[in-house]
Amino acid sequence: MNYKLDTKDIDIIAVLQQDASLSIAKIAERTNLPSTTVHNRIKKLREHKIIKNYTVNLDKDQISGNIIAYILIKVFQANQRDIVHHLLKRPEVEEASIITGDTDIIVKFRVHSIHELDRFIIDDLRNIPGIQASKTMISLETYEK
């Protein structure tokens, strides 16, 4: 059964997205809802897996580097999922998607230096069986919603 979100749920979620460490009382204060309502709503949102867990937003630029590259990969006579799972084992790979069109896989990759990107492409990517070709694009600017 799908849970239907209402404006109270959306307000609570918006506050949690800004700071998931807030107490029920602070969330109630910011949403102008009673604490018991906030508590019960959060409980329901968790039960329906709308809120799955609370996370920490890290500064990825400081931790993993500020050079972001997208690598387009063409696969030949290989299982795309196997290649994706292999790539996801690398800490530099943030995400990988199997896509439609002329390219089979797109990988979002983050490093501290061009040298690290070069090492990955030459020493790792080019040695994965089944990869026919790749095209790397470096992101100049990134915007998030």
Side-chain angles (χ1 to χ4, degrees):
M1 180 173 120
N2 287 341
Y3 182 76
K4 182 87 167 130
L5 295 176
D6 64 14
T7 56
K8 292 176 186 176
D9 294 321
I10 292 168
D11 290 346
I12 292 167
I13 290 168
V15 171
L16 286 170
Q17 284 180 304
Q18 290 173 359
D19 187 352
S21 70
L22 292 175
S23 67
I24 297 291
K26 286 284 185 194
I27 297 168
E29 183 180 306
R30 291 190 185 182
T31 57
N32 294 318
L33 295 169
S35 292
T36 53
T37 300
V38 170
H39 173 77
N40 292 332
R41 294 285 182 129
I42 290 174
K43 185 177 175 183
K44 262 191 187 155
L45 291 168
R46 288 183 63 91
E47 286 171 1
H48 287 88
K49 305 220 184 312
I50 294 166
I51 296 175
K52 295 181 182 177
N53 55 32
Y54 299 96
T55 62
V56 175
N57 287 328
L58 302 172
D59 185 337
K60 292 179 183 179
D61 287 353
Q62 289 188 45
I63 295 169
S64 304
N66 63 351
I67 297 173
I68 299 170
Y70 293 90
I71 304 171
L72 304 175
I73 298 171
K74 286 188 179 191
V75 174
F76 181 72
Q77 294 183 339
N79 186 308
Q80 294 174 17
R81 288 184 185 96
D82 290 344
I83 292 173
V84 165
H85 292 301
H86 175 82
L87 291 167
L88 288 173
K89 291 178 185 174
R90 295 294 307 238
E92 305 94 334
V93 174
E94 287 192 352
E95 58 186 58
S97 299
I98 296 172
I99 60 174
T100 61
D102 295 335
T103 301
D104 299 308
I105 299 169
I106 185 168
V107 176
K108 182 178 179 186
F109 189 85
R110 181 185 292 263
V111 289
H112 290 281
S113 69
I114 295 296
H115 177 74
E116 287 179 63
L117 178 60
D118 174 61
R119 291 290 105 217
F120 173 76
I121 292 169
I122 292 172
D123 296 338
D124 212 20
L125 189 68
R126 290 187 178 163
N127 291 313
I128 298 172
I131 292 183
Q132 179 182 16
S134 69
K135 181 179 191 176
T136 303
M137 299 172 293
I138 296 174
S139 174
L140 300 177
E141 296 182 18
T142 300
Y143 300 90
E144 292 184 12
K145 187 172 177 182

